[in-house]
Amino acid sequence: MTAPAYDEIATHEDLVVWSRDYCKEVRREWLVDVRFDLVEWEVSTRAKRRAAAVKRPKIPEAEVGSPVDWETVEAAGGRRADGRPFPATLSLTWDAFEAFERTEWESTLRHELIHLEQYQRCGTTDHGPEFKARAEELDTEVHCETFSDPKYVLRCESCDALVAHRYRDCKLVRRADEYRSSCCESPLVVE
Ligand SMILES: [Zn+2]
Ligand SMILES: [Zn+2]
């Protein structure tokens, strides 16, 4: 699947494909040392604050700054005979994507790439001095990006039922009175 245009991202799959493409571009341009064949992707609709997160197995005695010899590592009940890192999962938060401007989403992905780079090299990752130096090089934040509550809540004019929430101005928000709620076939009210 080729990546959709950013403004046309409509599904979880779109978001993964677009984000993965962007990350590959960053790897080429900024020379980030990440193996994408060892990265799994998911979209979370549950995360409340964190824009994204890297999920990874806990590697005993791993330390940021000391490269790990993956061939000798035992974790998650097994060993990687081929010397490659255990796969990590990059979890993207759908609501954060909706809340953010494109530049903020891109910055979030660069932040997570640093976590992936540290993890694949050292078996663990944090927000310490090495992260800070790398974040400067990659023009991103040191702290994990967070996002806030939705800006707009749309309710059914007749029964007050919650119909939708949106993080930014969009057609649904601007022209709420042209839409009809499925509960009462009534116009929508924006709060
Ligand atoms: Zn972080
Ligand atoms: Zn209603």
Side-chain angles (χ1 to χ4, degrees):
M1 179 178 172
T2 49
Y6 185 81
D7 292 331
E8 278 157 21
I9 295 172
T11 65
H12 290 189
E13 199 196 348
D14 289 346
L15 182 61
V16 165
V17 172
W18 190 93
S19 300
R20 189 167 51 207
D21 256 43
Y22 176 76
C23 286
K24 286 182 174 171
E25 209 180 290
V26 171
R27 179 174 62 175
R28 277 194 304 272
E29 278 180 27
W30 271 288
L31 304 175
V32 185
D33 191 12
V34 170
R35 291 186 55 159
F36 288 114
D37 57 331
L38 300 172
V39 177
E40 283 152 18
W41 299 73
E42 68 175 30
V43 175
S44 166
T45 50
R46 286 206 219 141
K48 286 287 170 248
R49 292 271 163 231
R50 293 182 68 169
V54 170
K55 298 180 182 172
R56 59 205 159 82
K58 194 166 166 41
I59 309 300
E61 287 161 47
E63 240 183 298
V64 173
S66 19
V68 30
D69 176 2
W70 287 100
E71 236 164 306
T72 66
V73 166
E74 265 187 73
R79 186 179 273 224
R80 301 278 282 180
D82 54 10
R84 301 185 310 163
F86 287 92
T89 300
L90 180 44
S91 180
L92 310 172
T93 304
W94 180 263
D95 284 351
F97 158 71
E98 286 213 309
F100 284 179
E101 297 296 331
R102 177 176 176 158
T103 52
E104 294 172 296
W105 185 248
E106 290 177 346
S107 170
T108 298
L109 292 173
R110 294 199 298 279
H111 177 106
E112 298 306 324
L113 274 176
I114 301 173
H115 282 312
L116 284 169
E117 186 179 54
Q118 286 194 334
Y119 163 71
Q120 288 190 353
R121 183 174 146 84
C122 302
T124 188
T125 179
D126 61 19
H127 294 114
E130 300 202 9
F131 191 101
K132 206 174 160 208
R134 204 70 177 112
E136 265 168 41
E137 286 168 5
L138 267 69
D139 188 24
T140 186
E141 306 293 323
V142 176
H143 299 288
C144 287
E145 296 260 18
T146 56
F147 62 101
S148 53
D149 296 331
K151 228 168 138 182
Y152 303 99
V153 174
L154 292 110
R155 292 185 185 280
C156 167
E157 193 183 65
S158 303
C159 75
D160 213 33
L162 174 68
V163 175
H165 60 258
R166 289 290 181 273
Y167 290 90
R168 52 186 173 210
D169 197 14
C170 66
K171 204 163 76 179
L172 180 63
V173 172
R174 286 193 301 273
R175 294 157 66 179
D177 55 341
E178 291 174 21
Y179 291 83
R180 291 291 174 271
S181 64
S182 54
C183 44
C184 310
E185 288 290 313
S186 292
L188 307 183
V189 181
V190 183
E191 289 170 6

